[in-house]
Amino acid sequence: MERMVNSAILTVDDDPAVSRAVARDIRRRFGDRYRVVRADSGESALEALRELKLRGEQVAVLLADYRMPHMNGIQFLEQAMDLFPRARRVLLTAYADTSAAIDAINIVDLDHYLLKPWDPPEEKLYPVLDSLLEAWLATPEAASTETRVIGHRWSEPSFKVRDFLARNLVPYRWHLCDDPEGRRLMTAAGATEDDVPVVITPEGKTLVKPSTAELAGSVGLSTTPASDFYDLVVVGAGPAGLGAAVYGASEGLRTVLIEQRATGGQAGQSSRIENYLGFPDGVSGAQLTDRARRQALKFGAELLSTREVSGLEAAGPTRVLHFTDGSKIAAHTVVLATGVSYRLLDAPGLRELTGRGVFYGSAATEAPSCTGSDVYIVGGANSAGQAALYFSRYAARVHMLIRAPDLTKSMSSYLIEQIEGNEKIVVHPCTEVIAAEGDEHLERLTLRDMPTGATRTVETSWMFIFIGAEPRTDWLDGAVSRDERGYIVTGPSLITDGTRPHGWTLPRDPYHLESSMPGVFAAGDVRADSVKRVASAVGEGAMAVSVIHRYLEAQ
């Protein structure tokens, strides 16, 4: 018969001879299909069950001796039910203890009791276990090969863990700490509600309130470079950075891609991109990101997660990047593709409720929880429109709050048409949020009509903010030229009245996409005067690599 992967039969008896005998007989008949786990006390058996639970394995049958010191068989089965409530329960007992076994039917919902001795097992043991295993197979517990996250519903740290895993395309299962399975996992991990979020890896490793770096390392994301020198370092794994990594690695450059949060950038959060070349039916940002990431890895690029770059300097022909942890990495060339971040909405109550009903970006992990609720979207550009359409699949109604009179100046016409045709979406022009309130989570918003100044309060637990973006380039201060808004100036724009940028030492003008530091290029939204579209960002990433070849050939 086919082996039941990750399924066990556990036996516990304090008598070593009896313990060996029952395990031997069970293994002889069922060892080809089930792992047989043997324990010599109730305490050690519970510890074994906790390890099985954390590893996501199943337990089909629990067979416990009644007479054990410290914890008898009934007491053990009672506690074991908290970890594996569907496991079939068998009590091994002497004839004199049959009354206790009968009582156990009511105490621990006992499925069967076996009298010692059980010889011959073909007559007394195997038929019982065959029947119990057949019943268990009809309604088994689902084996877990995913990362499991246990936390509070309205908890910013819990949201950050789930958002990090989702955006990095790590499969996970979410459990509330007060639901039955969440409580069982917390018990198995030896954790309390004060410890959440708790993350349990598929291997059974428990992480309590993990940092993003700790989380990344535990779920298989690389955080340490394999080398200290590369041909090309790409900072930022949005569309531009992924494009540069794919083309750089495919053309033989030793390439490493560094990302602080998650691959895909803002585009990776888009529920549906419908105007990207080659996808007439649209593609989600997550799908596009996953394909690009796998493509870069296929060509040999390294991808480092949860690494924040804090500085850039030139050391002769070498470009050195410093990390916030004090380490550094060097390369012949650098592509800066750090993109932009959503601006923070400045209104009372928002900062305190961020991650607890107030979210920046689409936060797609929250969409199913919005079912039947009113959702508020702040912003009127494409990202806000895509989010409104996505949340309309779940929400009772989606309210778009925009400061402009209509959507025409900031949103693509295809999105406007879809929004106008969606009866669940209501656009509120000339409206702004001036306050948010709530105890454990967002409960209400105060809105203001900008022309009249009239205010009103609305009840909601969900607000998603898309109010423009700004580059996070402070760490480049003094290293490369930036415009007044912080965007990186490149190529011909660096030439003023025929004069090259300050500190430029080469006899040629800066190449297209090259910054004021030779060998350092910018691509995508972080570059001044760039076209803020996914396709153009990918194109600039690819173009940067072609210019890098020119730069390297001239060195």
Side-chain angles (χ1 to χ4, degrees):
M1 294 181 67
E2 183 180 354
R3 181 175 175 82
M4 295 301 299
V5 179
N6 293 333
S7 301
I9 298 173
L10 182 139
T11 74
V12 53
D13 196 306
D14 66 309
D15 185 325
V18 174
S19 178
R20 286 193 299 270
V22 69
R24 177 200 62 216
D25 287 344
I26 293 174
R27 193 173 288 113
R28 182 183 301 158
R29 175 64 174 266
F30 305 101
D32 62 331
R33 289 168 285 158
Y34 297 88
R35 185 152 69 91
V36 179
V37 179
R38 182 164 65 93
D40 57 9
S41 69
E43 291 85 354
S44 62
L46 286 174
E47 183 60 32
L49 289 179
R50 292 187 188 100
E51 292 181 8
L52 292 170
K53 186 71 177 179
L54 294 177
R55 291 201 297 266
E57 298 189 29
Q58 304 178 38
V59 174
V61 175
L62 300 164
L63 195 153
D65 181 51
Y66 172 63
R67 286 186 176 272
M68 292 187 295
H70 307 300
M71 180 187 296
N72 66 35
I74 296 175
Q75 293 169 331
F76 161 72
L77 290 172
E78 193 170 14
Q79 294 191 43
M81 288 172 62
D82 293 335
L83 294 169
F84 292 95
R86 294 188 182 183
R88 292 331 195 229
R89 294 173 284 279
V90 180
L91 195 67
L92 187 62
T93 181
Y95 181 79
D97 298 318
T98 53
S99 60
I102 293 171
D103 290 340
I105 293 175
N106 295 321
I107 297 173
V108 294
D109 193 20
L110 194 68
D111 292 290
H112 202 89
Y113 67 88
L114 284 173
L115 293 176
K116 298 178 184 179
W118 59 87
D119 291 329
E122 289 78 8
E123 295 181 12
K124 298 182 178 180
L125 177 62
Y126 297 157
V128 171
L129 292 182
D130 281 336
S131 176
L132 294 177
L133 289 169
E134 183 179 349
W136 178 80
L137 284 171
T139 55
E141 288 184 285
S144 175
T145 58
E146 299 173 316
T147 296
R148 286 157 291 171
V149 181
I150 308 100
H152 291 296
R153 177 68 197 86
W154 299 109
S155 160
E156 183 181 7
S158 296
F159 163 72
K160 285 183 175 180
V161 166
R162 291 186 293 131
D163 187 60
F164 175 82
L165 294 174
R167 293 186 61 192
N168 281 283
L169 309 174
V170 177
Y172 74 93
R173 189 175 296 275
W174 164 243
H175 300 279
L176 294 174
C177 57
D178 55 359
D179 70 17
E181 182 64 9
R183 287 194 296 267
R184 284 191 284 270
L185 289 168
M186 295 281 283
T187 298
T192 69
E193 289 193 18
D194 293 334
D195 296 323
V196 298
V198 172
V199 177
I200 301 172
T201 69
E203 298 76 28
K205 181 180 179 182
T206 299
L207 308 175
V208 175
K209 298 179 180 178
S211 66
T212 52
E214 183 183 11
L215 186 58
S218 296
V219 298
L221 300 177
S222 178
T223 60
T224 305
S227 175
D228 56 6
F229 193 89
Y230 294 84
D231 295 319
L232 169 62
V233 175
V234 182
V235 185
L242 287 166
V246 166
Y247 281 90
S250 68
E251 294 176 12
L253 298 178
R254 291 171 297 164
T255 303
V256 60
L257 177 61
I258 300 170
E259 174 54 48
Q260 181 180 352
R261 296 181 181 86
T263 52
Q266 285 190 13
Q269 293 180 282
S270 296
S271 57
R272 196 156 200 82
I273 303 169
E274 296 190 61
N275 58 353
Y276 190 75
L277 184 67
F279 292 88
D281 298 321
V283 61
S284 74
Q287 290 172 320
L288 193 62
T289 295
D290 181 46
R291 293 174 182 179
R293 180 185 59 82
R294 288 189 284 113
Q295 199 171 14
L297 294 174
K298 165 192 164 185
F299 286 123
E302 287 183 43
L303 173 57
L304 301 185
S305 300
T306 67
R307 298 304 300 267
E308 183 178 359
V309 181
S310 59
L312 168 67
E313 65 173 337
T318 299
R319 303 297 172 255
V320 181
L321 289 160
H322 296 266
F323 294 114
T324 53
D325 65 0
S327 60
K328 58 187 178 181
I329 192 171
H332 291 302
T333 59
V334 174
V335 170
L336 301 173
T338 51
V340 292
S341 300
Y342 289 113
R343 290 203 305 268
L344 301 182
L345 183 59
D346 186 17
L350 291 181
R351 184 180 61 82
E352 295 81 359
L353 294 169
T354 297
R356 298 188 291 130
V358 175
F359 304 94
Y360 287 87
S362 64
T365 54
E366 303 303 303
S369 299
C370 298
T371 300
S373 302
D374 275 22
V375 170
Y376 284 77
I377 304 285
V378 181
N382 279 6
S383 55
Q386 291 162 352
L389 291 165
Y390 179 67
F391 281 102
S392 70
R393 303 177 194 173
Y394 302 89
R397 191 167 295 276
V398 176
H399 302 267
M400 294 191 69
L401 310 178
I402 62 173
R403 295 172 61 89
D406 56 47
L407 295 169
T408 55
K409 289 187 177 180
S410 57
M411 188 178 293
S412 297
S413 60
Y414 80 91
L415 282 172
I416 296 175
E417 291 175 3
Q418 292 181 40
I419 288 170
E420 290 176 344
N422 191 317
E423 60 182 17
K424 282 191 173 183
I425 301 177
V426 179
V427 179
H428 302 268
C430 303
T431 303
E432 61 181 352
V433 177
I434 60 172
E437 297 176 90
D439 294 326
E440 291 187 354
H441 61 89
L442 175 66
E443 296 176 12
R444 66 193 68 85
L445 296 171
T446 301
L447 310 180
R448 179 167 58 197
D449 180 74
M450 296 169 64
T452 65
T455 63
R456 60 190 175 97
T457 300
V458 295
E459 304 290 327
T460 186
S461 296
W462 306 100
M463 181 170 69
F464 300 88
I465 302 170
F466 306 81
I467 55 167
E470 56 191 10
R472 306 297 186 189
T473 56
D474 291 346
W475 64 278
L476 289 168
D477 187 33
V480 299
S481 296
R482 299 175 295 152
D483 66 14
E484 65 278 1
R485 295 180 298 168
Y487 291 94
I488 300 170
V489 182
T490 60
S493 297
L494 289 166
I495 308 298
T496 304
D497 297 327
T499 302
R500 294 167 180 155
H502 176 72
W504 187 265
T505 58
L506 299 181
R508 61 168 176 83
D509 290 345
Y511 292 136
H512 183 58
L513 303 182
E514 192 170 20
S515 73
S516 60
M517 181 183 291
V520 176
F521 301 81
D525 290 0
V526 75
R527 191 178 68 83
D529 301 322
S530 64
V531 178
K532 304 299 188 283
R533 289 290 184 268
V534 175
S536 62
V538 173
E540 287 192 3
M543 188 186 303
V545 173
S546 68
V547 182
I548 282 170
H549 283 299
R550 290 176 59 193
Y551 172 83
L552 292 174
E553 290 167 1
Q555 291 301 104

